[in-house]
Amino acid sequence: MNVFEDELQVIAIGQNGMLTREVEAVNKIVTNLMIYGVITCLVFFILFIILVFYLNNFIIKKTVAEKKLVINEKRYDRLLNQSDLVLFTTDTFGTFTFVSQKVTELTGYNQDELINETFLLLIDPRYKDQVIGFYKEQLKQNHLHVINRFRIITKSGTAKWVEQSSILIYENNTITGFQCTVKDINDTVLLEEANSDQYFKLQSILDFSPSITYIKDLEGRYILANRQFKKFCNLPKEMIIGKTDFDLTDERSAKKYKSTDDKVISSQEPIEYEETLKMEAGVFTHIIKKFPLYDRSNNMYGIGCITTDITEIAEYRRRLRDDRNKAES
């Protein structure tokens, strides 16, 4: 009996040992899990703090950017409203997609009345074909920037002369519409019409001149050009008047012409120089004379230019020079 009890005691002691080891192993696992859990929570807490920091920083930057955008929009609107120009955009069919507030002063129509309407609503009927043809030509010839003058009819029925600058809008290399600025030039045109008889006489005289003749204002814009100049440029009058050399020729040539114009303006003295032009029809030599123009108050208002073709004379001089060289040889 004692032997049996001893065996039971040994078995109990062994089981207690095993149980103790198992409890210790479980406690160790629990302890490790707690440590891992604490570490994981700490990592997530740090990540959360970092996320909150970046999110807060993003919100601050976004708020600042939105405030700047609002300020810029207000500044842009203020510039538009203070400017004498009316700004608008249309699609390729001439339908208004945006108009500035200044349009009300010019036309009597408000912005809502013009959006989704075509520009033909404003054009004087006598000028509709001219304006339509002008902008069709701009699209056809792919002229990036053109200027046109025409009359509009306001909401009250009053006729006004305006000057419109039109720029093609591109999206993905495709023309999607026009961006335009318009200014009221009614007083200017009325003054021009008052002097139209003198202008017509001057234009008639210049048209019969064999020399290329034109007049520019001090900004380099053509304000008068004779028939020979239009023929030389191969452009109608509407595509020349109001343009600069940068609109009509390559940049290098335009800079050269502007340089000579600036020389006349700064010195207020005439200049003369010879220029050889290589064209499809051949090589031509011109004598170019530029001179300042003054109004009645002796204020300089523009530059006149007379260009004479001396190709035959230049060729004759070249032959004489060659013959002289041969004779000397």
Side-chain angles (χ1 to χ4, degrees):
M1 185 68 179
N2 290 332
V3 174
F4 180 70
E5 290 177 353
D6 292 339
E7 290 178 355
L8 288 176
Q9 189 175 2
V10 171
I11 292 172
I13 291 171
Q15 289 179 344
N16 288 335
M18 291 177 61
L19 182 60
T20 299
R21 288 193 296 273
E22 290 177 355
V23 170
E24 290 176 350
V26 170
N27 289 335
K28 186 176 181 180
I29 293 172
V30 170
T31 301
N32 291 337
L33 288 175
M34 289 178 64
I35 293 172
Y36 293 149
V38 170
I39 293 173
T40 302
C41 290
L42 184 60
V43 170
F44 275 108
F45 179 73
I46 293 172
L47 290 175
F48 177 73
I49 294 297
I50 294 172
L51 179 63
V52 170
F53 172 78
Y54 279 106
L55 183 61
N56 184 58
N57 192 40
F58 172 76
I59 292 172
I60 292 173
K61 288 183 178 180
K62 183 180 179 183
T63 304
V64 171
E66 288 175 347
K67 287 182 179 179
K68 286 183 178 179
L69 181 61
V70 171
I71 291 172
N72 288 336
E73 287 179 348
K74 289 181 178 179
R75 185 179 301 163
Y76 180 69
D77 289 338
R78 186 169 62 252
L79 288 173
L80 280 180
N81 295 329
Q82 291 176 349
S83 171
D84 292 333
L85 299 176
V86 175
L87 175 67
F88 70 87
T89 58
T90 73
D91 59 19
T92 52
F93 298 101
T95 303
F96 291 111
T97 55
F98 167 81
V99 289
S100 63
Q101 293 180 2
K102 207 74 174 178
V103 73
T104 305
E105 292 183 21
L106 180 67
T107 68
Y109 293 94
N110 61 42
Q111 293 166 294
D112 293 335
E113 290 176 306
L114 293 178
I115 295 298
N116 295 325
E117 294 285 347
T118 71
F119 68 91
L120 295 177
L121 174 68
L122 300 172
I123 307 299
D124 185 324
R126 288 173 292 181
Y127 291 86
K128 283 185 177 180
D129 291 340
Q130 171 192 323
V131 175
I132 292 172
F134 187 87
Y135 290 108
K136 279 185 176 179
E137 186 68 15
Q138 183 184 8
L139 287 172
K140 180 180 178 182
Q141 299 296 333
N142 201 25
H143 290 302
L144 180 63
H145 180 210
V146 297
I147 298 175
N148 191 18
R149 285 183 172 191
F150 51 85
R151 284 210 317 184
I152 64 170
I153 303 297
T154 66
K155 189 175 182 179
S156 64
T158 303
K160 282 185 180 180
W161 279 95
V162 297
E163 183 176 86
Q164 181 167 296
S165 173
S166 174
I167 299 175
L168 296 177
I169 300 174
Y170 285 86
E171 290 183 11
N172 299 323
N173 296 323
T174 301
I175 299 173
T176 58
F178 300 91
Q179 178 176 307
C180 305
T181 55
V182 181
K183 65 179 179 180
D184 185 344
I185 59 166
N186 199 58
D187 292 341
T188 302
V189 173
L190 291 179
L191 181 61
E192 289 176 354
E193 288 179 346
N195 298 318
S196 60
D197 186 50
Q198 296 179 358
Y199 176 86
F200 178 77
K201 291 177 181 177
L202 177 60
Q203 183 71 58
S204 298
I205 294 171
L206 295 181
D207 280 342
F208 282 98
S209 170
S211 300
I212 295 173
T213 308
Y214 60 81
I215 296 175
K216 295 180 184 177
D217 64 17
L218 297 180
E219 301 299 324
R221 292 185 292 262
Y222 289 94
I223 57 178
L224 187 147
N226 74 341
R227 187 179 301 161
Q228 290 295 328
F229 184 72
K230 299 168 197 172
K231 183 179 178 181
F232 179 78
C233 294
N234 194 27
L235 288 172
K237 176 183 176 182
E238 292 77 14
M239 286 292 192
I240 296 174
I241 303 303
K243 305 294 190 306
T244 70
D245 289 314
F246 290 93
D247 300 314
L248 302 178
T249 187
D250 61 274
E251 185 175 359
R252 181 181 178 184
S253 299
K255 286 182 177 179
K256 180 176 65 175
Y257 298 146
K258 185 179 184 303
S259 175
T260 56
D261 291 346
D262 291 342
K263 187 175 180 180
V264 173
I265 294 172
S266 62
S267 67
Q268 297 193 7
E269 295 289 340
I271 63 172
E272 180 176 321
Y273 60 96
E274 188 174 308
E275 182 178 57
T276 300
L277 300 175
K278 293 181 179 180
M279 306 178 66
E280 292 183 4
V283 179
F284 299 89
T285 303
H286 290 165
I287 286 289
I288 299 176
K289 298 179 181 180
K290 291 187 176 182
F291 44 89
L293 298 172
Y294 299 92
D295 59 20
R296 293 179 180 178
S297 301
N298 203 33
N299 295 316
M300 186 176 176
Y301 71 87
I303 299 170
C305 180
I306 299 175
T307 301
T308 305
D309 187 347
I310 61 165
T311 303
E312 292 184 3
I313 297 175
E315 179 63 22
Y316 178 70
R317 287 188 312 199
R318 186 190 64 79
R319 289 200 301 267
L320 283 179
R321 187 169 56 249
D322 291 344
D323 291 343
R324 184 184 63 187
N325 291 337
K326 289 178 181 178
E328 289 176 351
S329 298

